[in-house]
């Protein structure tokens, strides 16, 4: 067993790769809102998925107890992570597997590249994996002269279109079937020229395209949904069977997994195998569940490797309020109920992780001082629908507010001169600290009607208030304040009683 230090680093090591937005969320969202086809595709898909989820969740009388159990298990994992990682490594290596530790995306990519070259391969087949998207593995391997072929249908669609995923579970959710047919005809040399947009025909075209890759590949790369510390077992769940082909046919299997994916024991898997399929695809169980424990002589891959990835997870774990974001099991339920995601799509978030979970996970992994990612915690109405939908009860709204506070404090620390918000808050504090001062300021409120138009609405304010009036009107102040009305009303009442 390796002697790897698993304690909290003195200085947080933040994540790299496809975690950083290239532009602030408000700017990206404004552009995506102009795409009517995108909104139509997303609206149809998210409504369909969440309606299915509601039906299958309603079948379980103990659904809330399952959520509590899932949350408690993940909380325990975070509290015992170093110990559980060592236990998992011992059991995984005892069965012939080899573990590699990667502090960041660069280390993980280099390890995978060397393993592929050691196997004498120039191409790999891939199981859908958020971790490999996070570290930008496909792009890195291409630079190194190694071709990576996605085998998940939705991932294949995105790859063929030279696009980026926009959803954790359904990466091509932003495309409809007519668009997919056009992609296949344009990018697949072996596609039938008469291919229609019938889903069955599209799936068959993808199967034919990938079949020879499955049968010839020497190396497969996968992610993992869960890792069981007490047995050293890895688990992948999927819906198409492509993962099963990748996990059994090649001679070498390389798995890239975030360190937070651990569960303490085999029995804990029972809870999550009920939570995950219902929350993700609205199914009672996953069509394909693959589990493997190291190497089985004469059966399946004989060279089994696991890259355990940190890439900012230690930094997230060090955040007492935000660490529960690491409980995420990548089901995407929060995205399917989020009104912001439904209208802007996943690309507006920039990171591999879009939607509500991405709005907290990406800044936690990269640090809130990452300028573009600092805007992500504001990509929410704080309606709380994501919290209600989360199968492991991550309080996303609470973490969003926490990260907003962290962002404000971070900006204040970097400024030499107080900003507009600092000045405004100090002025408000001075005013509200005294009833007499507040009454004095209120007497000036009627002057606000001078900024209003004939319709008694203020449509444009200066400074930081411009962000508010850019998307909504502010009613003109009343002719008298509540305090003035109260005094006048009670003075009149007192006079009448005396009379």
């Amino acid at each position: 067993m390796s002697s790897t230090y698993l304690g909290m680093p003195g200085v947080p090591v933040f994540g790299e790769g496809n975690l950083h937005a290239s532009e602030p969320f408000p700017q990206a969202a404004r552009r995506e809102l102009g795409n009517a086809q995108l909104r139509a595709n997303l609206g149809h898909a998210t409504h369909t998925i969440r309606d299915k989820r509601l039906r299958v969740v309603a079948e379980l009388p103990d659904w809330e107890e399952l959520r509590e159990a899932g949350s408690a298990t993940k909380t325990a994992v975070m509290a015992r992570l170093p110990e559980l990682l060592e236990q998992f490594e011992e059991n995984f290596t005892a069965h012939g597997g080899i573990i590699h530790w990667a502090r960041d995306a660069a280390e993980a990519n280099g390890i995978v590249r060397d393993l592929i070259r050691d196997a004498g391969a120039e191409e790999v087949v891939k199981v859908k994996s958020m971790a490999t998207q996070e570290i930008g593995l496909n792009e890195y391997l291409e630079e190194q002269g190694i071709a990576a072929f996605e085998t998940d249908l939705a991932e294949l669609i995105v790859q063929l279109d030279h696009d980026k995923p926009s959803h954790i579970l359904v990466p091509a959710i932003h495309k409809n079937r007519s668009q997919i047919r056009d992609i296949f005809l344009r990018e697949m040399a072996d596609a039938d020229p008469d291919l229609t947009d019938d889903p069955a025909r599209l799936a068959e075209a993808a199967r034919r395209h990938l079949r020879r890759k499955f049968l010839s590949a020497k190396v497969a790369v996968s992610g993992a949904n869960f890792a069981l510390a007490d047995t050293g077992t890895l688990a992948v769940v999927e819906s198409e069977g492509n993962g099963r082909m990748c996990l059994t046919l090649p001679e070498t299997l390389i798995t890239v997994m975030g360190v937070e994916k651990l569960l303490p024991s085999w029995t804990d898997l029972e809870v999550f195998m009920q939570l995950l399929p219902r929350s993700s695809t609205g199914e009672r169980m996953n069509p394909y569940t693959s589990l493997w424990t190291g190497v089985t002589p004469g059966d399946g891959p004989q060279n089994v490797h696991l890259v355990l990835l940190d890439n900012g997870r230690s930094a997230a774990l060090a955040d007492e309020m935000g660490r529960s974001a690491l409980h995420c099991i990548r089901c995407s339920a929060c995205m399917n109920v989020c009104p912001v995601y439904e209208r802007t799509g996943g690309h507006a978030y920039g990171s591999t992780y879009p939607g509500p979970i991405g709005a907290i996970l990406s800044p936690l992994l990269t640090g809130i001082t990452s300028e573009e990612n600092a805007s992500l915690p504001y990509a929410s109405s704080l309606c709380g629908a994501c919290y209600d939908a989360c199968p492991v009860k991550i309080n996303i709204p609470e973490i969003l507010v926490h990260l907003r506070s962290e962002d404000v404090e971070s900006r204040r620390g970097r400024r030499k001169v107080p900003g507009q918000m600092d000045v405004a808050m100090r002025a408000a504090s001075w005013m509200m600290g005294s009833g007499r001062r507040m009454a004095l300021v209120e007497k000036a409120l009627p002057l606000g009607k001078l900024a209003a138009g004939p319709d008694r609405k203020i449509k444009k304010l200066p400074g930081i208030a411009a962000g508010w009036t850019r998307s909504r009107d502010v009613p003109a102040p009343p002719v008298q304040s509540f305090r003035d009305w109260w005094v006048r009303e009670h003075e009149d009442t007192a006079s009448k009683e005396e009379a």
Side-chain angles (χ1 to χ4, degrees):
M1 188 171 71
S2 67
S3 57
T4 302
Y5 172 67
L6 300 174
M8 206 60 62
V11 177
V13 178
F14 292 116
E16 303 172 352
N18 294 327
L19 291 172
H20 295 266
S22 58
E23 58 183 333
F25 179 83
Q27 182 178 328
R30 194 171 297 115
R31 181 182 62 253
E32 298 297 332
L33 283 169
N35 188 337
Q37 184 64 63
L38 171 72
R39 293 203 309 277
N41 294 350
L42 285 172
H44 173 73
T46 54
H47 278 257
T48 299
I49 296 171
R50 71 171 176 251
D51 288 347
K52 286 177 62 181
R53 174 192 170 275
L54 286 172
R55 286 195 296 271
V56 295
V57 164
E59 296 173 353
L60 295 181
D62 60 344
W63 177 251
E64 289 304 317
E65 287 77 8
L66 283 168
R67 292 180 71 209
E68 287 287 353
S71 176
T73 301
K74 296 300 284 186
T75 299
V77 168
M78 296 305 116
R80 300 172 52 209
L81 189 56
E83 167 197 338
L84 291 173
L85 283 168
E86 290 183 338
Q87 182 186 6
F88 175 81
E89 182 188 31
E90 182 177 5
N91 289 319
F92 186 81
T93 55
H95 291 88
I98 302 173
I99 283 186
H100 310 262
W101 299 87
R103 285 172 292 190
D104 54 33
E107 283 192 3
N109 285 331
I111 292 167
V112 175
R113 174 203 61 204
D114 292 344
L115 291 173
I116 295 170
R117 286 180 175 168
D118 289 346
E122 295 182 349
E123 61 182 40
V124 299
V125 289
K126 288 185 73 245
V127 187
K128 182 180 183 301
S129 163
M130 299 301 295
T132 60
Q133 289 173 13
E134 174 188 323
I135 64 177
L137 180 62
N138 287 12
E139 299 90 336
Y140 175 81
L141 292 180
E142 185 178 2
E143 293 172 0
Q144 302 297 312
I146 300 171
F149 296 95
E150 296 289 353
T151 64
D152 175 83
L153 177 57
E155 290 282 5
L156 174 65
I157 292 164
V158 171
Q159 185 180 44
L160 289 174
D161 199 34
H162 312 286
D163 197 359
K164 291 183 178 181
S166 63
H167 191 274
I168 287 177
L169 181 71
V170 193
I173 195 172
H174 55 295
K175 300 183 185 298
N176 59 36
R177 62 189 191 183
S178 296
Q179 292 172 314
I180 294 168
R181 176 202 58 205
D182 295 341
I183 292 168
F184 282 8
L185 289 174
R186 184 179 71 244
E187 300 292 335
M188 281 185 183
D190 52 356
D192 183 350
D194 298 323
L195 181 66
T196 68
D197 64 359
D198 176 65
R201 293 287 304 278
L202 294 172
E204 177 63 22
R207 274 196 295 271
R208 290 179 179 276
H209 177 73
L210 291 170
R211 180 65 59 174
R212 65 178 184 275
K213 296 298 180 186
F214 286 133
L215 297 176
S216 63
K218 295 181 179 179
V219 179
V221 176
S222 82
N225 293 96
F226 305 105
L228 310 178
D230 66 340
T231 60
T233 300
L234 293 171
V236 163
V237 297
E238 37 117 8
S239 299
E240 301 167 15
N242 60 294
R244 182 70 57 81
M245 299 282 279
C246 292
L247 297 170
T248 55
L249 292 178
E251 182 68 17
T252 298
L253 172 61
I254 306 167
T255 301
V256 181
M257 184 188 80
V259 294
E260 81 282 12
K261 293 296 187 70
L262 281 178
L263 297 179
S265 68
W266 182 274
T267 55
D268 294 311
L269 193 60
E270 176 190 357
V271 171
F272 291 90
M273 296 305 277
Q274 296 182 75
L275 290 171
L276 181 56
R278 284 177 166 82
S279 298
S280 56
T281 56
E283 296 172 294
R284 296 177 183 87
M285 64 181 294
N286 294 100
Y288 294 88
T289 300
S290 300
L291 301 108
W292 68 101
T293 306
V295 176
T296 301
D299 183 14
Q302 297 302 290
N303 301 312
V304 177
H305 299 265
L306 171 63
V307 181
L308 281 169
L309 177 69
D310 187 315
N311 206 38
R313 285 158 177 81
S314 291
L317 188 63
D319 188 316
E320 186 175 355
M321 179 71 75
R323 69 174 58 136
S324 62
L326 296 176
H327 297 184
C328 176
I329 58 175
R330 309 293 192 265
C331 70
S332 75
C334 63
M335 301 167 65
N336 298 327
V337 298
C338 177
V340 176
Y341 172 84
E342 185 178 317
R343 286 158 180 79
T344 64
H347 291 159
Y349 295 81
S351 167
T352 291
Y353 303 107
I357 188 61
I360 60 174
L361 187 58
S362 298
L364 284 165
L365 294 177
T366 63
I368 197 67
T369 54
S370 172
E371 187 171 350
E372 287 75 18
N373 281 5
S375 68
L376 291 177
Y378 301 93
S380 170
S381 64
L382 300 180
C383 67
C386 50
Y387 181 31
D388 291 338
C390 178
V392 289
K393 302 190 73 171
I394 301 172
N395 194 332
I396 295 176
E398 183 177 74
I399 301 175
L400 286 167
V401 173
H402 161 66
L403 289 174
R404 291 179 185 185
S405 173
E406 291 286 309
D407 175 50
V408 171
E409 292 301 321
S410 171
R411 293 175 188 274
R412 180 178 291 124
R414 297 196 300 267
R415 281 197 300 263
K416 295 182 179 179
V417 179
Q420 294 182 51
M421 181 62 75
D422 296 320
V423 173
M425 291 297 102
R426 287 175 186 172
S429 176
W430 174 84
M431 177 190 70
M432 295 180 182
S434 164
R436 183 172 297 177
R437 288 196 293 266
M438 192 165 181
L440 184 63
V441 172
E442 284 179 349
K443 292 184 182 298
L445 282 177
L447 296 176
K449 66 182 180 181
L450 299 176
D455 57 355
R456 293 186 53 77
K457 292 180 180 178
I458 301 173
K459 299 182 180 295
K460 190 173 183 180
L461 287 171
I464 56 172
W468 181 271
T469 53
R470 198 161 33 233
S471 55
R472 57 182 69 77
D473 296 333
V474 178
V479 293
Q480 64 175 334
S481 68
F482 174 79
R483 187 185 297 266
D484 288 342
W485 172 86
W486 180 270
V487 170
R488 185 174 293 109
E489 183 73 14
H490 283 262
E491 282 181 349
D492 290 345
T493 301
S495 299
K496 290 177 182 177
E497 290 176 350
E498 290 175 1

